[in-house]
Amino acid sequence: MAGDNARGLKKGLTSYGDSAFSLFLRKAFIKGMGYSDDALDRPIVGIVDTFSAYNACHANVPDLVEAVKRGVMLAGALPVPFPTISIHESFAFPTSMFMRNLMAIDTEEMIRAQPMDAVVMIGGCDKTVPAQLMGAASANIPAIQLVTGPMMTGSHRGERVGACTDCRRFWGRYRAGEIDDQEIAEVNNQLVPGAGTCGVMGTASTMALVTEALGMMAPGGATPPAVSADRRRSAEESGKLAVALAANGLTPDKIMTVKAFENALTVLLATGGSTNGIVHLAAIAGRMGLELDLDAFDAMGRKVPVLVDLKPSGQNYMEDLHRAGGLPTILRELKDHLHLDCMTVTGRTLGENLEAMPGGWTQTIVSPIAKPLFPEGGMAVLRGNLAPGGAIVKQSAASPKLMSHRGRAIVFSSIADLGARVDDPDLDVTEDDILVLQNAGPKGAPGMPEAGYMPIPKKIAAKGVKDMVRISDARMSGTASGTIVLHVTPESAEGGPLALVRTGDFITLDVPNRTLTLEVSDEELAARRADFTPPVHEGSDRGYKRLYMETVTQADHGCDFTFLMPPKTGSVPEAK
């Protein structure tokens, strides 16, 4: 009765040794929810509900669930919402990245465990969309991603503001003594004026755009604001598409191909997207058996310029990009860099979807590719004796004068050490020095927090200095800017060269030539390595933390768990 091709309520029956009884019992209990036999005989579309009172990015999820349900029912199927973990960047200890893989496991296993022919996954805040796509890739039933959408902007003393580039900008001014307690309190009330994800090109916006480019989202679904009617219409369309996906058996493995990931990486570069995007795409691709080739990605970045004028690389907000036509406006400029024949959740190719969208119009948010905002991609990959496994810098949001820089290292051994000493008036530091943070990577922190955006020491900030070179094995928010080298691999806690840097060493950063060099002899580094002791974290002997510490990979492999990743069958981008 319930073989491999079972559909609807007959799918994945609970094991009682009698499949007819299993179905009988299942129907008895779900009828307690008020369903009729007519409803229960239809295909089932699961809806991942990630509402949480801790998560303002997901405040509109109840409305979106209703809109998805409407779309599913209009297409003749039965919608069944169900909950999973919800993660908010500012409310997860020690960091949301620590929880991403747990959410991916939760998503995958609940999709597997419950009867559904397709699933609509609703997420928004930074780590939720990657977690859901990772889970969907592994479960491999027909799936479509729906994002909650960006928040609208607020207003502070006549100036348009929004989370969270402006959060960091105003906090930097406050630390420098440029604004007082009253003004920082006032702006705090305006930075997040309502529901939705950060309204700049942070990680949430980045993941929305690359997911649409990947083919896993309804066309035009990345940019509608959370509170807009367009967002609800996109949700309804997602419900309809899910029913069609179930009927056609169009599974994620047929959509998330090498070429599709190349499209996503192209959009990541062209939008000046979050550096977190490269970690998340590495993890999602890893679930499809694909290894991210950082050098090939960097070569791609030499050819794909930044086109989108959004903070932190530009000056505008996601609501402006939506009014400018959203991702389709970007894709039209990138046509020569895209694989337009890639299949998408619509059952049509990316190129066919693009042709079906409204034509472009005059706008100032997306630059013509002949006159880009920045001549190369937003990110560059660095290598050298300090980062043999690679490091990332968001060059489109860095200070041009610091892109080639030699400076003395000022080393902080941990995030706690940074917090204790960075503002010490007696700290021996100048604006020409390089701040180095150790033990903030996947295992070192643990969880690879967004600590790479180290604060400028107060006594330096008070002089009006807005940027310094900063190097770490941590991440930073996509909403942040500065000359900040991140994801140094191998990380300090694994005994990587970053762990061997000492205050007073000289480091040379050369972004144009893609190098990061610690000016210390191999003999001296070998002597320091002999004294290396990895950090030990309290509570790592049990539970999820133990699982995390024993199985998490490095940043270049997406910080996924080793046991969740299939054997590698290829790489992305493919070497040309």
Side-chain angles (χ1 to χ4, degrees):
M1 177 182 294
D4 291 340
N5 296 320
R7 309 280 285 184
L9 208 64
K10 298 176 181 179
K11 189 172 182 178
L13 289 172
T14 307
S15 298
Y16 291 116
D18 181 341
S19 59
F21 174 71
S22 297
L23 180 60
F24 172 79
L25 202 60
R26 175 174 283 179
K27 290 184 72 173
F29 275 100
I30 201 166
K31 282 183 175 179
M33 304 290 285
Y35 292 112
S36 66
D37 283 321
D38 181 27
L40 297 175
D41 284 341
R42 296 174 183 270
I44 294 175
V45 174
I47 305 171
V48 179
D49 182 347
T50 53
F51 175 78
S52 166
Y54 285 106
N55 197 341
C57 297
H58 292 199
N60 62 335
V61 167
D63 288 343
L64 296 182
V65 169
E66 291 304 311
V68 173
K69 287 168 65 176
R70 183 169 65 248
V72 171
M73 289 188 287
L74 285 170
L78 175 65
V80 182
F82 64 95
T84 69
I85 291 172
S86 183
I87 304 172
H88 189 276
E89 177 62 37
S90 300
F91 281 87
F93 176 84
T95 170
S96 62
M97 189 65 170
F98 180 71
M99 306 297 294
R100 185 202 64 183
N101 296 348
L102 182 61
M103 184 176 181
I105 292 172
D106 184 13
T107 302
E108 174 186 349
E109 296 305 332
M110 294 310 292
I111 290 172
R112 289 185 190 279
Q114 300 172 133
M116 62 190 76
D117 300 298
V119 62
V120 179
M121 303 176 297
I122 306 177
C125 196
D126 296 13
K127 310 308 176 292
T128 63
V129 170
Q132 290 176 332
L133 289 172
M134 291 161 70
S138 296
N140 204 38
I141 74 160
I144 185 170
Q145 183 74 53
L146 171 65
V147 292
T148 56
M151 67 181 74
M152 302 295 286
T153 53
S155 178
H156 170 65
R157 300 186 180 182
E159 178 185 359
R160 195 163 61 139
V161 295
C164 214
T165 301
D166 294 326
C167 306
R168 289 170 169 79
R169 180 168 61 87
F170 276 95
W171 190 253
R173 292 181 62 195
Y174 177 66
R175 281 177 51 81
E178 296 175 8
I179 61 176
D180 59 18
D181 290 349
Q182 178 179 340
E183 185 168 358
I184 198 66
E186 288 177 10
V187 76
N188 186 254
N189 289 333
Q190 297 300 319
L191 290 166
V192 182
T197 57
C198 289
V200 296
M201 194 57 71
T203 306
S205 299
T206 298
M207 291 310 303
L209 290 163
V210 300
T211 300
E212 185 178 337
L214 190 62
M216 289 295 292
M217 183 185 294
T223 58
V227 296
S228 67
D230 283 346
R231 173 55 55 200
R232 287 160 179 77
R233 280 189 282 268
S234 182
E236 181 182 302
E237 179 66 15
S238 297
K240 291 179 182 177
L241 288 173
V243 179
L245 285 169
N248 297 331
L250 189 53
T251 47
D253 62 325
K254 298 170 185 174
I255 297 171
M256 291 196 282
T257 62
V258 170
K259 287 185 176 181
F261 278 108
E262 289 181 354
N263 287 340
L265 290 167
T266 298
V267 167
L268 175 64
L269 290 163
T271 55
S274 168
T275 50
N276 290 305
I278 196 67
V279 178
H280 296 318
L281 282 172
I284 300 163
R287 294 296 185 96
M288 304 307 299
L290 300 172
E291 185 165 6
L292 181 69
D293 184 334
L294 284 175
D295 293 327
F297 172 66
D298 187 70
M300 177 185 284
R302 298 277 195 178
K303 302 173 184 177
V304 178
V306 176
L307 303 179
V308 184
D309 187 5
L310 258 64
K311 294 184 176 184
S313 296
Q315 294 300 317
N316 296 288
Y317 298 87
M318 281 293 284
E319 63 189 63
D320 304 310
L321 178 58
H322 183 60
R323 294 188 185 106
L327 182 67
T329 302
I330 303 170
L331 296 182
R332 288 190 186 95
E333 294 297 328
L334 292 173
K335 274 187 175 182
D336 291 342
H337 297 278
L338 297 171
H339 303 290
L340 296 174
D341 58 345
C342 285
M343 181 55 60
T344 73
V345 289
T346 65
R348 302 188 302 269
T349 66
L350 184 69
E352 289 170 336
N353 288 342
L354 189 57
E355 289 299 320
M357 296 296 285
W361 51 87
T362 302
Q363 49 81 36
T364 59
I365 305 302
V366 181
S367 299
I369 198 162
K371 296 181 179 179
L373 190 72
F374 189 84
E376 294 186 349
M379 275 176 252
V381 177
L382 308 172
R383 291 192 186 272
N385 69 338
L386 188 51
I392 298 292
V393 62
K394 190 171 184 178
Q395 57 179 347
S396 61
S399 299
K401 67 177 182 178
L402 293 175
M403 298 282 269
S404 296
H405 183 77
R406 181 178 184 266
R408 182 184 60 146
I410 306 298
V411 179
F412 301 96
S413 62
S414 66
I415 295 171
D417 183 39
L418 174 70
R421 294 196 297 121
V422 71
D423 289 333
D424 186 341
D426 295 328
L427 181 67
D428 179 14
V429 63
T430 73
E431 64 184 270
D432 294 323
D433 291 332
I434 294 176
L435 305 183
V436 175
L437 175 62
Q438 299 169 329
N439 295 308
K443 293 183 179 180
M448 203 182 181
E450 292 183 344
Y453 182 75
M454 289 175 261
I456 304 296
K458 272 190 176 180
K459 68 180 184 180
I460 304 299
K463 298 178 181 179
V465 175
K466 302 299 184 185
D467 194 14
M468 293 175 65
V469 176
R470 286 155 277 182
I471 300 172
S472 74
D473 47 13
R475 297 177 299 111
M476 77 172 181
S477 170
T479 66
S481 61
T483 312
I484 302 174
V485 177
L486 305 155
H487 312 177
V488 172
T489 306
E491 64 171 306
S492 301
E494 290 282 88
L498 188 67
L500 310 180
V501 184
R502 301 291 180 262
T503 293
D505 292 344
F506 276 83
I507 297 172
T508 297
L509 169 67
D510 186 349
V511 176
N513 290 307
R514 304 298 197 258
T515 59
L516 185 64
T517 307
L518 175 61
E519 297 178 11
V520 175
S521 70
D522 291 343
E523 293 77 14
E524 174 61 20
L525 291 177
R528 292 179 186 181
R529 185 171 286 108
D531 292 333
F532 170 75
T533 302
V536 178
H537 295 288
E538 183 179 352
S540 297
D541 60 338
R542 64 171 302 279
Y544 177 71
K545 193 171 187 180
R546 177 175 176 176
L547 177 69
Y548 177 95
M549 294 298 291
E550 291 180 352
T551 65
V552 71
T553 63
Q554 292 292 285
D556 56 334
H557 292 286
C559 301
D560 201 0
F561 293 159
T562 53
F563 65 91
L564 295 174
M565 301 163 64
K568 296 297 182 288
T569 58
S571 62
V572 61
E574 284 186 322
K576 303 301 182 184

